[in-house]
Amino acid sequence: AQSVTQLDSHVSVSEGTPVLLRCNYSSSYSPSLFWYVQHPNKGLQLLLKYTSAATLVKGINGFEAEFKKSETSFHLTKPSAHMSDAAEYFCVVSDQTSGTYKYIFGTGTRLKVLA
Amino acid sequence: EAGVTQFPSHSVIEKGQTVTLRCDPISGHDNLYWYRRVMGKEIKFLLHFVKESKQDESGMPNNRFLAERTGGTYSTLKVQPAELEDSGVYFCASSRNRGTGELFFGEGSRLTVL
């Protein structure tokens, strides 16, 4: 079965510094991978997705992620953090191994941005 | 277009009572998913509808949970009777394409069982 591991439950950065949120996955097939963000009391919003096209994926709000098959990683980065980036981030893999289609979530990384 | 809407946004009930959560997906989205997040834990898959059919209900915790999607439009998730461990946030999501498509999420229904 496919799975996702988010290596950090909490990350703190200063405003204006780079953001790195780590995600590793396991998959028997070519995976589809996603990053979602959830701001307090809001629904989850798609930041970006990888579906076997370009390995460097650009998303909204300056975020990007690189699919590295050899490392089974899909880390999320942003060159310069903004206060509004403070939220919880989820790495998601699409599971098609059983012939059905469920999206498997990581445990989430809570990003704190310090002024 | 209207997004995914969920109702109620928050429900507080006593153990043993019944609650029904509703989800209206984006029009034209055949795929509808229910997820649950218990406090402090990960977001867990409950089930997946394709139109009115249950494609995968492997995540449903037990037979106290019943999901329906009559007519392939909105869906309901009923918990009867509710237990303390059912407390959490229930998310609904819809998508046009299975597997590779973006999931569009509602804002969730927070269930508190006392």
Side-chain angles (χ1 to χ4, degrees):
Chain A
Q2 300 190 348
S3 66
V4 177
T5 302
Q6 290 185 244
L7 295 150
D8 306 295
S9 59
H10 293 82
V11 169
S12 290
V13 300
S14 297
E15 190 176 23
T17 64
V19 176
L20 170 64
L21 305 183
R22 298 181 294 166
C23 172
N24 286 94
Y25 69 91
S26 68
S27 170
S28 302
Y29 294 83
S30 297
S32 293
L33 293 157
F34 308 79
W35 275 99
Y36 281 83
V37 60
Q38 186 183 24
H39 289 91
N41 300 315
K42 296 290 184 185
L44 290 98
Q45 180 186 19
L46 180 71
L47 278 178
L48 49 81
K49 68 177 181 180
Y50 166 79
T51 55
S52 76
T55 56
L56 182 62
V57 182
K58 293 188 184 297
I60 61 172
N61 300 335
F63 284 95
E64 62 182 39
E66 186 171 7
F67 173 72
K68 291 187 177 179
K69 187 174 182 178
S70 60
E71 298 177 10
T72 61
S73 70
F74 191 57
H75 301 333
L76 181 70
T77 60
K78 182 173 180 177
S80 175
H82 191 272
M83 296 297 286
S84 61
D85 295 328
E88 192 163 18
Y89 293 78
F90 295 92
C91 184
V92 181
V93 63
S94 173
D95 179 357
Q96 303 171 48
T97 55
S98 57
T100 60
Y101 295 84
K102 62 183 136 189
Y103 295 71
I104 307 299
F105 281 72
T107 50
T109 298
R110 197 170 291 276
L111 176 65
K112 186 174 182 180
V113 182
L114 307 170
Chain B
E1 64 183 359
V4 177
T5 57
Q6 292 188 245
F7 183 84
S9 57
H10 194 181
S11 180
V12 181
I13 61 173
E14 293 190 351
K15 176 182 171 181
Q17 290 186 319
T18 298
V19 64
T20 299
L21 310 177
R22 173 173 168 143
C23 169
D24 286 76
I26 292 173
S27 177
H29 283 192
D30 289 340
N31 297 278
L32 187 148
Y33 300 79
W34 283 98
Y35 285 84
R36 175 173 77 171
R37 190 178 198 192
V38 173
M39 180 159 324
K41 307 243 172 150
E42 70 267 38
I43 297 174
K44 282 203 159 180
F45 168 83
L46 295 179
L47 86 160
H48 170 209
F49 283 98
V50 177
K51 297 184 180 179
E52 67 275 7
S53 299
K54 291 176 186 174
Q55 184 75 13
D56 182 352
E57 54 184 329
S58 61
M60 294 288 264
N62 51 60
N63 59 10
R64 295 186 293 102
F65 289 76
L66 175 64
E68 295 179 323
R69 192 182 182 195
T70 307
T73 54
Y74 71 91
S75 174
T76 58
L77 180 64
K78 180 191 284 188
V79 185
Q80 178 182 33
E83 298 289 343
L84 299 179
E85 64 265 25
D86 301 332
S87 294
V89 181
Y90 291 77
F91 291 102
C92 175
S94 71
S95 73
R96 192 177 299 278
N97 301 313
R98 294 185 299 178
T100 59
E102 174 183 356
L103 288 180
F104 292 83
F105 282 85
E107 294 193 353
S109 292
R110 182 176 297 276
L111 173 63
T112 302
V113 183
L114 302 175

